Amino acid sequence: MAVEEQNPEALNPEGEQPTEHLAPPVNENFKWYIIHAYSGFERKVRESLESRITAFGLQNRIGRIMIPTEPVTELRNGKKYTIERVFLPGYVLVEMELDNDLWHVIKNTPRVTGFLGTGDNPVALSEQEVSSILFRSESTSNKPSMKVKFEKGEQVRINEGPFANFTGTVDDVNEDRQTLKVMVSIFGRSTPVEIEFSKVDKVEV
């Protein structure tokens, strides 16, 4: 098993510079790697890795184990809840000094399917690449995305801003920007209003 350091550009396709940076590693030989796990079992994999680190006495060989998450606002029974959602399902980031023995320990962890890389050659990520993944949530924490779905033709009530308490019909849904174009009757005229998902409620019919 050969360990190579590469530059997987696909991990940061937009080329954005992260606004936050990782704290330096406690061991200068540590590098970051991405582990493939069963989707939905990322936290279980982290727990299993932490248990195996203790069992095999690898505390000096493995550093941080991170799961990329982002805040998402869900609507339940008319109330909004913000939860942390995994935004890269099936991926766990591990900081370690990788060799053949450690490779086998990681690979044989339950629900781990392998490493990011080609064949048996794991890819080591740069600090910038890791920061761009882990701190993506920093840029969205003040504006969490809404999980509730809206459809054209639905009736909604605006709950915030100058048009609060106005009821209108959804004319267009922009999932990327998390906004709606709502046709609202103002002074007898149907007027389009662009508004964020979080500032409207569905009208029960």
Side-chain angles (χ1 to χ4, degrees):
M1 190 278 298
V3 178
E4 298 180 355
E5 184 162 1
Q6 300 178 19
N7 182 23
E9 294 179 357
L11 288 172
N12 192 15
E14 297 176 1
E16 295 180 353
Q17 296 292 328
T19 55
E20 300 285 342
H21 297 280
L22 287 167
V26 296
N27 184 330
E28 63 180 12
N29 294 320
F30 280 174
K31 295 185 185 302
W32 284 95
Y33 297 88
I34 290 184
I35 293 172
H36 289 298
Y38 291 166
S39 181
F41 289 93
E42 299 84 8
R43 291 179 175 85
K44 286 289 185 182
V45 165
R46 181 172 61 187
E47 291 173 6
S48 296
L49 284 172
E50 290 170 347
S51 296
R52 289 168 74 82
I53 288 169
T54 302
F56 287 94
L58 297 171
Q59 292 89 340
N60 295 327
R61 303 287 305 285
I62 297 181
R64 290 163 285 187
I65 303 173
M66 309 288 283
I67 300 171
T69 60
E70 64 182 349
V72 176
T73 300
E74 291 186 342
L75 201 60
R76 303 179 200 160
N77 301 321
K79 293 184 179 180
K80 294 171 186 173
Y81 298 86
T82 299
I83 62 170
E84 288 294 319
R85 181 185 67 183
V86 175
F87 69 78
L88 285 177
Y91 291 93
V92 178
L93 280 72
V94 181
E95 181 189 41
M96 56 187 157
E97 184 181 356
L98 188 60
D99 62 10
N100 282 323
D101 292 337
L102 191 51
W103 183 88
H104 284 290
V105 170
I106 300 290
K107 190 75 166 54
N108 292 324
T109 299
R111 302 185 182 90
V112 168
T113 60
F115 287 82
L116 178 70
T118 304
D120 291 339
N121 297 322
V123 174
L125 280 72
S126 70
E127 179 184 338
Q128 179 181 336
E129 288 163 340
V130 175
S131 294
S132 70
I133 297 170
L134 293 178
F135 296 112
R136 165 183 154 168
S137 60
E138 294 294 326
S139 63
T140 59
S141 60
N142 294 328
K143 191 178 177 181
S145 59
M146 291 289 287
K147 199 171 181 180
V148 62
K149 294 290 186 181
F150 293 96
E151 296 179 3
K152 187 174 180 178
E154 272 189 312
Q155 291 290 306
V156 294
R157 179 178 291 104
I158 299 172
N159 59 38
E160 193 174 322
F163 299 103
N165 298 321
F166 277 72
T167 300
T169 303
V170 176
D171 186 59
D172 187 57
V173 181
N174 189 320
E175 294 282 354
D176 293 334
R177 295 179 57 194
Q178 297 277 300
T179 60
L180 301 172
K181 182 165 76 173
V182 180
M183 302 305 293
V184 177
S185 179
I186 302 174
F187 301 119
R189 289 185 178 180
S190 186
T191 304
V193 174
E194 186 175 25
I195 193 159
E196 297 173 10
F197 284 6
S198 60
K199 295 181 180 179
V200 301
D201 297 311
K202 292 191 178 191
V203 175
E204 301 292 336
V205 293

